[in-house]
Amino acid sequence: MSRIQTTFSRLASEQRAALIPFVTAGFPSPALTVPLMHAMVAAGVDVIELGVPFSDPMADGPSIQRASEKALAQGMRLSTVLAQVAEFRQQDPHTPVVLMGYANPIEAMGVQKFAAAAAQAGVDGVLVVDYPPEEAANFGSAMRAVDIDPIFLIAPTSSPERIAHTAAIASGYVYYVSLAGVTGSAALNVDAVAQKLPQIRAQTGLPVGVGFGIRDATAAARIAAFADAVIVGSRLIEEIEQSSLEACCTRVAAVLTDMRRAMDEVKK
C-alpha cells in the first residue's frame, strides 16, 4: 500500500480521523518549510498538504494568496518545492506528503517530467485545483504510473454523476470542499457537510477529507465525528503571518496539537 493508504488504514482501525494541515511551501521563508513540516508531524498530523506557490491561486482566499506571493518573491518554484520534499524525506520516510497547487507550473515542467521528479522526491499525492476531473484522465494515469495518488476536489454543488466521475479517477482520498467560495471564507455549516458525505460515500470507497472553513479545535472535532480527515489551511497561514520567524513553527504546532487532542476525543 502507498503511504496514504497505509495511514488511512491505520487510522480507520483506531477509529480516528486524519489531521491534514496545508501550508504554502516557501512561506514565511524557504528555509523554514522543512522545519515547519517536521514540527507539524511532531504535533500529531497524519498527512501534509504542501502548497506549490502560484501567481494566480484562484481557489484561495487572501491569506493564502499573500503566502504565495511572498514565497514566489523569495524564489520559490515547483523544482524548489520538490527539493524541499526530498529534504523532508531524509528524516521522515513515513508521513505522506501531498502537493496542492495549479496546473500551470506542472504543464510548464511537463507532466511526465513532473511525475518522475515528484516520485523521486518522495511525493505521495498531487491535487491540482484547476484540472477538471473530466479532463484529467491522462494526468491521473501519469501519476498512478509512478505510484502517486491523484487527489481531486468535490464541491457542495457536485452532482452524483460528477462525484462518480471524480471518484473513478481519484485515489488516496477525495477532498470535499465544505463551502462555496475560496479558502478562509464564509462560516462552516457542519450539519450541511454531514448531510453531503453519505452521497459522496455512495460513489466511492476512498476516504473523504473535509476542508475550507475549519478554524479551531471545536470545528475540527465536529468534522472528525463523521469525516475521514480534517483539512486545515487558512488558519495556519494566518498564524504564520502573525508570528515572528522564530515562533511560527511553535504557533502552528500549538494550533494543530489542540485540534489533534479534540479530534482524538471523538470516536467514530
Side-chain angles (χ1 to χ4, degrees), residues 18 34 52 73 119 140 156 168 180 198 240:
V34 174
V52 179
I240 295 171

Side-chain angles (χ1 to χ4, degrees), residues 4-257:
I4 292 176
Q5 291 171 318
T6 298
T7 295
F8 276 104
S9 177
R10 172 180 56 80
L11 290 168
S13 70
E14 297 169 356
Q15 296 184 306
R16 299 165 66 227
L19 176 57
I20 305 180
F22 167 94
V23 293
T24 300
F27 176 76
S29 77
L32 278 175
T33 299
V34 174
L36 182 57
M37 293 170 73
H38 288 306
M40 293 191 298
V41 173
V45 309
D46 302 290
V47 179
I48 295 173
E49 285 188 358
L50 191 60
V52 179
F54 182 54
S55 57
D56 187 23
M58 57 186 152
D60 295 310
S63 60
I64 296 179
Q65 289 182 23
R66 289 191 298 269
S68 279
E69 291 169 1
K70 292 175 181 178
L72 290 169
Q74 296 180 84
M76 288 298 298
R77 301 293 183 267
L78 178 55
S79 58
T80 322
V81 178
L82 294 174
Q84 290 176 331
V85 176
E87 182 183 348
F88 172 76
R89 280 280 170 253
Q90 292 175 12
Q91 295 184 41
D92 189 327
H94 303 298
T95 305
V97 176
V98 174
L99 297 188
M100 184 171 181
Y102 295 83
N104 186 280
I106 294 173
E107 295 290 337
M109 179 179 285
V111 171
Q112 297 299 330
K113 182 178 179 181
F114 166 74
Q120 179 67 29
V123 172
D124 300 285
V126 178
L127 195 167
V128 182
V129 174
D130 51 348
Y131 270 155
E134 296 84 355
E135 300 174 15
N138 290 339
F139 173 77
S141 296
M143 294 302 104
R144 284 190 292 272
V146 292
D147 297 321
I148 291 176
D149 288 316
I151 297 163
F152 291 92
L153 299 173
I154 293 175
T157 54
S158 294
S159 66
E161 293 76 19
R162 196 165 202 272
I163 294 171
H165 184 86
T166 301
I169 63 170
S171 61
Y173 60 94
V174 294
Y175 185 141
Y176 177 62
V177 177
S178 63
L179 49 87
V182 296
T183 56
S185 65
L188 178 66
N189 186 333
V190 175
D191 292 336
V193 177
Q195 292 171 11
K196 185 72 174 183
L197 259 63
Q199 183 180 345
I200 298 172
R201 288 199 168 105
Q203 304 291 344
T204 180
L206 292 174
V208 181
V210 174
F212 285 45
I214 299 169
R215 301 190 58 81
D216 56 36
T218 299
R222 292 183 68 193
I223 295 295
F226 54 83
D228 300 300
V230 174
I231 304 167
V232 56
S234 293
R235 170 67 193 282
L236 303 181
I237 298 298
E238 291 165 12
E239 287 290 328
I240 295 171
E241 280 189 309
Q242 296 163 13
S243 172
S244 67
L245 291 177
E246 294 78 13
C248 73
C249 290
T250 301
R251 286 187 59 162
V252 168
V255 172
L256 293 170
T257 298

